[in-house]
Structures are given as C-alpha cells and as structure tokens.
Amino acid sequence: MELEGPEAIEETIRASVGNAEAIHHLFSYTADVHSLASASIVVNMEDMVIPAEDDPATAVTQLGDVKFRSVKGYGHYRCDFQKVDGVWKISKLVQTRLRMDFTQ
C-alpha cells in the first residue's frame, strides 16, 4: 500500500482501526546521516489493535481474508529524511511486518 500526505494516512488508519484501541510502541533505532540534508533511520516497532468490547460492530475486525478480535504485530519502520528549506521532512516511510499474531 502506498499513501501520500497526512490526510491519506489518517483516513487509512481511521478506516482500519475505527474505535478500537490502538497501542503503538517504537523501540531502539539505527540512524545514518548521509549528508547535511539527507538521513535515514530504521526503528523497531510493536503494535496492537484491540476492538472495543462494548461495541458489537467492532468486536471482530477483518484484514484481507483474516477475521480477528485483536492483532499484535512486530516489525520495523524504515524512514528516509530530506532537509527542505532548513526543515527535516520524511521523504519515504516503509512499515515492514515480521510477524502478526491474531486472536479469533
């Protein structure tokens, strides 16, 4: 999936998570500075999505062909940054999942 701009990112997350509880942890990272205007970083991550117990509409969520009550994921963010007019901006962000544990 490729998204561009904060509105597209927000809409995709809102459609995927709804009113479920989303917990997102970022852990250790490795950063590389390529120049005065270019850098990259790899960040370890873990996240959980837990549907609201009191809302029958979100008690089961579907992701592709998989229906689940909750999911815990593990992986990485890989980010490229560019300095534009003196401000660091994300030029590319890729989320990679190594594992996803679903509860049915």
Side-chain angles (χ1 to χ4, degrees):
M1 176 186 310
E2 189 170 319
L3 304 171
E4 188 171 327
E7 294 83 12
I9 295 167
E10 180 181 356
E11 178 58 32
T12 300
I13 292 171
R14 188 178 313 282
S16 299
V17 175
N19 67 346
E21 181 179 2
I23 301 168
H24 206 83
H25 295 126
L26 302 178
F27 299 100
S28 60
Y29 62 90
T30 302
D32 291 308
V33 178
H34 307 293
S35 72
L36 293 176
S38 174
S40 60
I41 189 169
V42 177
V43 182
N44 300 317
M45 71 79 137
E46 170 185 64
D47 64 346
M48 293 174 48
V49 177
I50 305 161
E53 291 294 328
D54 60 344
D55 186 351
T58 61
V60 176
T61 303
Q62 187 160 348
L63 181 62
D65 294 335
V66 180
K67 291 184 180 182
F68 61 93
R69 292 194 45 73
S70 66
V71 63
K72 185 170 185 180
Y74 309 86
H76 301 93
Y77 281 114
R78 287 175 169 73
C79 295
D80 293 335
F81 297 91
Q82 296 292 321
K83 198 170 194 179
V84 179
D85 297 326
V87 178
W88 285 98
K89 297 191 176 201
I90 297 172
S91 59
K92 184 176 184 181
L93 172 64
V94 176
Q95 180 186 33
T96 304
R97 293 199 181 267
L98 301 174
R99 179 182 175 125
M100 294 178 77
D101 295 328
F102 296 95
T103 58
Q104 303 291 317

